[in-house]
Amino acid sequence: MKLEKSFYTRDTITVAKDLLGKNLCRKTPFGIIEAKIVETEAYLSENDPACHANRGMTPRNEPMFEEGGISYVYFIYGNYFCFNVVSDKKGFGTAVLIRAVEPLNHEIIKNYRNTKKIKDLTNGPSKLCMAMNITKEQNKLDLITSSEIFITDNESIKKNDIIETTRIGITQAQDLKLRFYIKDNIFVSKI
DNA sequence: TGCCTGATCGGCT
DNA sequence: GCCGATCAGGCAC
């Protein structure tokens, strides 16, 4: 079952935690890649200078200001993409970065990315974009109606199995505990 | 296993 | 011009 609109329009921290354990699905000519979300980060509208939307709307971050339930894909470091799920209400400028997933069908992924260790296929925000063939083409897609990319219900993670800690790779607001991951899952980007 | 660095370019000041 | 929500490879230990 695809997640409904009402899943995404809740507050960002709730969405970030609830996305853990859900399946990110991506249609390819080889079949649908399915991967369990194991690590997320919340980016907030207020008091969060690390958030792209913090300094107001620009052409790049405009999708973040739409109503929750669409994708926000951006280009970073001249080489890579990161995939976000826009959350909460229209005008808020909030999103959840998907930092790591656990691949459920490696065979299809290997058309797009190969590594010596399966563990390294999708344990980082840009690694999972490479593995699932997510690029700027998938920016601002409706996750409820699109058949290209969507998220389905799967397991719910128990509260005790969710680790809350600080975000990775940012230089501002490094003290905020807005990163969430599934305890003991080997596909998490960094323990 | 872990730290350090170069690659690379779009977005924004 | 400068910097970034990153990654892979090299080298030291």
Side-chain angles (χ1 to χ4, degrees), chain A residues 7 22 25 30 37 45 63 65 86 104 111 118 120 126-127 129 134 137 142 144 149 158 164 169 172:
Chain A
F7 178 94
K22 304 297 188 286
C25 305
F30 308 99
I37 298 170
S45 58
F65 290 89
V86 175
L104 303 179
N111 289 289
I118 292 201
D120 294 324
S126 298
K127 293 181 190 178
C129 285
I134 296 171
E137 301 293 307
D142 188 320
I144 294 93
I149 191 158
K158 293 183 198 128
E164 305 186 15
Q172 304 193 60

Side-chain angles (χ1 to χ4, degrees), chain A residues 53-186:
Chain A
N54 185 260
R55 297 182 190 227
M57 197 190 296
T58 67
R60 178 175 68 151
N61 68 23
E62 186 276 329
M64 291 185 79
F65 290 89
E66 297 291 333
E67 186 174 44
I70 67 168
S71 61
Y72 168 49
V73 180
Y74 66 88
F75 186 62
I76 187 82
Y77 292 112
N79 267 322
Y80 305 108
F81 293 99
C82 290
F83 174 77
N84 295 251
V85 173
V86 175
S87 57
D88 221 319
K89 300 183 182 61
K90 188 173 173 68
F92 271 40
T94 50
V96 176
L97 170 69
I98 308 300
R99 277 199 60 88
V101 297
E102 174 178 339
L104 303 179
N105 42 6
H106 318 144
E107 323 76 47
I108 308 179
I109 284 180
K110 286 190 173 172
N111 289 289
Y112 299 103
R113 175 172 169 81
N114 216 338
T115 57
K116 288 183 180 175
K117 297 178 186 170
I118 292 201
K119 174 181 170 304
D120 294 324
L121 276 175
T122 56
N123 61 345
S126 298
K127 293 181 190 178
L128 73 92
C129 285
M130 292 186 259
M132 301 182 80
N133 195 30
I134 296 171
T135 69
K136 205 156 184 58
E137 301 293 307
Q138 281 69 48
N139 188 30
K140 212 178 170 183
L141 290 183
D142 188 320
L143 300 172
I144 294 93
T145 59
S146 173
S147 60
E148 262 195 78
I149 191 158
F150 51 93
I151 303 175
T152 58
D153 209 348
N154 187 24
E155 61 183 298
S156 289
I157 307 300
K158 293 183 198 128
K159 203 174 177 182
N160 286 346
D161 289 332
I162 298 178
I163 308 291
E164 305 186 15
T165 182
T166 52
R167 294 175 292 184
I168 290 182
I170 54 171
T171 54
Q172 304 193 60
Q174 289 172 327
D175 54 321
L176 300 180
K177 294 195 170 180
L178 293 175
R179 174 174 172 243
F180 309 99
Y181 65 85
I182 300 176
K183 185 180 171 186
D184 297 332
N185 187 290
I186 64 159

